[in-house]
Amino acid sequence: MKNARAVGYENEAEQTLQTTALKRGEPELWEVPESFDRCSINAPFPMQSLPPLLKDYLKAVANYVQVTPEMAVLPLLSVLALFVQDKAVIKHTGNSHTEPLNLYTITVASPGERKSGSLKEFMRPVEEFQEHYNKLHATEIEEYRTERAFLENQKSNAMRRLKLLQIRFQNLNKSTNL
């Protein structure tokens, strides 16, 4: 495929390979991916695609962590995706199949390039909110844990009693069948 791409016959080569695969009853072929060694993405992130508030936030965090906005944008989008999880689903138009609205990202860079630093800065408000929320609801959380432990203990005791009753019932059946 690399050679076909180089001489401009990529589509023809792909079509020939797909036709051959179909004739042989093989699954659809995937295009051979380009090597990362040759692949270099130097295009700047389209900052105009972000609302002004997020654009300013991205620039501020990138400046603080001392990385380019391109290095910091995926952690920003990942953290923003947290807020829509379990709030919406994507429905396939052809049937009733749905998928959760999730975003999976990966920032690829050498060690020490501040990937974690960028993510930590975007996660800081989320973690602060969680900590504040948990402090406000500490009593409710403790009541829930206490009630859950009580109910699990009741369940465990009921299961033990059921097991004993099953054993007694089996013994009773054995004695009446003699």
Side-chain angles (χ1 to χ4, degrees):
M1 215 39 173
K2 186 182 351 177
N3 293 338
R5 188 179 291 125
V7 294
Y9 286 101
E10 179 179 2
N11 291 337
E12 291 84 353
E14 182 178 358
Q15 193 172 30
T16 302
L17 291 170
Q18 291 293 0
T19 304
T20 304
L22 286 174
K23 284 180 184 176
R24 293 181 180 173
E26 296 174 1
E28 181 180 333
L29 298 175
W30 290 11
E31 180 183 329
V32 178
E34 288 188 42
S35 169
F36 283 126
D37 295 336
R38 290 184 4 173
C39 183
S40 177
I41 301 172
N42 292 323
F45 178 76
M47 297 292 276
Q48 69 278 8
S49 64
L50 293 175
L53 184 65
L54 289 179
K55 182 177 8 177
D56 293 344
Y57 185 41
L58 174 62
K59 286 179 181 177
V61 169
N63 185 50
Y64 176 75
V65 180
Q66 297 179 348
V67 297
T68 64
E70 289 76 15
M71 178 72 84
V73 72
L74 286 181
L76 169 65
L77 295 175
S78 298
V79 171
L80 290 173
L82 286 173
F83 302 115
V84 295
Q85 281 184 339
D86 295 333
K87 305 287 188 270
V89 294
I90 299 170
K91 184 177 183 297
H92 189 274
T93 56
N95 56 39
S96 62
H97 179 75
T98 60
E99 287 287 334
L101 188 58
N102 293 328
L103 178 64
Y104 300 96
T105 65
I106 183 168
T107 302
V108 179
S110 299
E113 293 289 326
R114 301 182 197 103
K115 298 177 299 288
S116 297
S118 297
L119 180 61
K120 284 179 185 175
E121 284 306 311
F122 289 119
M123 283 298 295
R124 184 187 316 269
V126 175
E127 291 167 352
E128 288 172 357
F129 171 80
Q130 288 174 328
E131 186 177 330
H132 178 71
Y133 182 90
N134 288 342
K135 282 180 183 175
L136 282 176
H137 296 90
T139 304
E140 295 168 45
I141 293 169
E142 188 54 38
E143 286 172 3
Y144 166 79
R145 287 180 179 154
T146 302
E147 184 178 357
R148 180 176 175 162
F150 172 75
L151 292 172
E152 285 184 6
N153 190 34
Q154 280 189 319
K155 177 184 171 186
S156 179
N157 288 338
M159 294 303 286
R160 251 186 268 119
R161 286 193 301 266
L162 178 62
K163 185 90 168 163
L164 287 173
L165 287 172
Q166 286 173 335
I167 292 170
R168 286 182 186 166
F169 184 73
Q170 288 172 351
N171 290 338
L172 182 62
N173 276 343
K174 286 179 186 176
S175 66
T176 56
N177 287 337
L178 293 176

